Amino acid sequence: MSPPSPPPASPLAETAALFADRTRAAFCQALLDGRAWTAGELARHAGVRPSTASEQLSRLVAGGVLAEERQGRHRYVRLSGPEAAALVESLASWGSDTPPPPPRTLRESTRLGAEARARTCYDHLAGALGVTLADAMTARGLVTAGPDLAVTPAGRAWLADALGFEQPPGARRPLVRGCLDWTERRLHLAGSLGAALCATSLERRWVRRVGSGRAVAVTPAGAEAFRTRLGVDVQV
């Protein structure tokens, strides 16, 4: 009697396998800062050999999680888009009930604390700051509450007035989407709204990047802007 045939290839299983390796997972979480990294930078970040990094990055590119660009001798990679970023953040949140290992160094402890307060999640704001802004927009009726988030007419007017942003007709990206924050375990706002808020905050220096990672810090100008536009007090 012949052995049973193996089940057909499953996109779910194949995608899950991409994140089952610690090195590939570390690469994806680093790329949540929304920027392009070289293979060498990611290798140093994950503590692996360049040859190992190249092999693992090729798998992520082939699986559609990452996109690559080449400039001269350098190979840059980034997350392939907001859908890939949402998938990485969601998977990171899935295991958040398990306490993370304690920081190994003071530098790592400082970085993790800064990221928990405020950070970028691909192209939107996350951490305590992101959740606070999401709560404020919901309380002010700019975004509807509940699992099915939507921007209200008042919210669209606020986006145009406060951020100078209007969703272009026919845009494929949703105007707003909830993203589960892996440190706060609550929703912050993604989608075009979240991207516009993050981009404006960086351009107008309401927040500034801290070091070379994902952490950001609110500036005095940002504290005033968030207070006048959304009625929230945030720590500088």
Side-chain angles (χ1 to χ4, degrees):
M1 183 177 180
S2 60
S5 301
S10 164
L12 174 60
E14 292 176 358
T15 302
L18 292 174
F19 299 98
D21 178 85
R22 290 181 181 273
T23 298
R24 293 195 294 271
F27 290 167
C28 291
Q29 286 198 277
L31 290 165
L32 278 174
D33 67 358
R35 293 178 284 190
W37 291 48
T38 66
E41 289 170 336
L42 287 169
R44 290 190 293 273
H45 172 79
V48 298
R49 295 178 180 275
S51 58
T52 300
S54 180
E55 177 185 350
Q56 302 298 356
L57 289 172
S58 294
R59 288 196 61 180
L60 290 166
V61 170
V65 177
L66 303 185
E68 68 175 347
E69 302 171 1
R70 293 187 180 271
Q71 294 186 7
R73 297 183 297 106
H74 295 290
R75 176 195 193 192
Y76 291 88
V77 293
R78 55 177 173 77
L79 290 172
S80 60
E83 294 82 6
L87 176 59
V88 173
E89 185 79 358
S90 296
L91 288 172
S93 302
W94 188 262
S96 61
D97 287 338
T98 302
R104 294 169 293 181
T105 63
L106 177 60
R107 182 178 181 180
E108 184 180 4
S109 177
T110 301
R111 176 182 63 81
L112 292 174
E115 289 182 355
R117 288 190 295 274
R119 66 182 182 276
T120 55
C121 173
Y122 188 54
D123 63 356
H124 50 276
L125 295 171
L129 173 64
V131 170
T132 295
L133 297 179
D135 288 346
M137 297 191 77
T138 300
R140 287 187 154 228
L142 306 179
V143 175
T144 59
D148 298 324
L149 297 179
V151 179
T152 65
R156 291 178 181 271
W158 182 89
L159 280 170
D161 179 60
L163 305 183
F165 174 80
E166 292 185 20
Q167 179 88 320
R172 297 180 59 186
R173 190 175 188 182
L175 183 54
V176 67
R177 181 182 61 78
C179 185
L180 183 60
D181 196 283
W182 68 269
T183 52
E184 294 294 305
R185 304 184 190 181
R186 298 175 57 208
L187 293 180
H188 58 248
L189 299 180
S192 297
L193 181 155
L197 180 57
C198 182
T200 299
S201 296
L202 288 167
E203 289 167 3
R204 299 183 185 177
R205 300 292 293 173
W206 294 349
V207 301
R208 59 177 178 82
R209 292 194 180 275
V210 178
S212 59
R214 298 171 58 193
V216 297
V218 179
T219 66
E224 178 63 22
F226 295 138
R227 183 182 302 112
T228 57
R229 288 168 171 77
L230 290 172
V232 293
D233 290 318
V234 294
Q235 182 180 2
V236 176

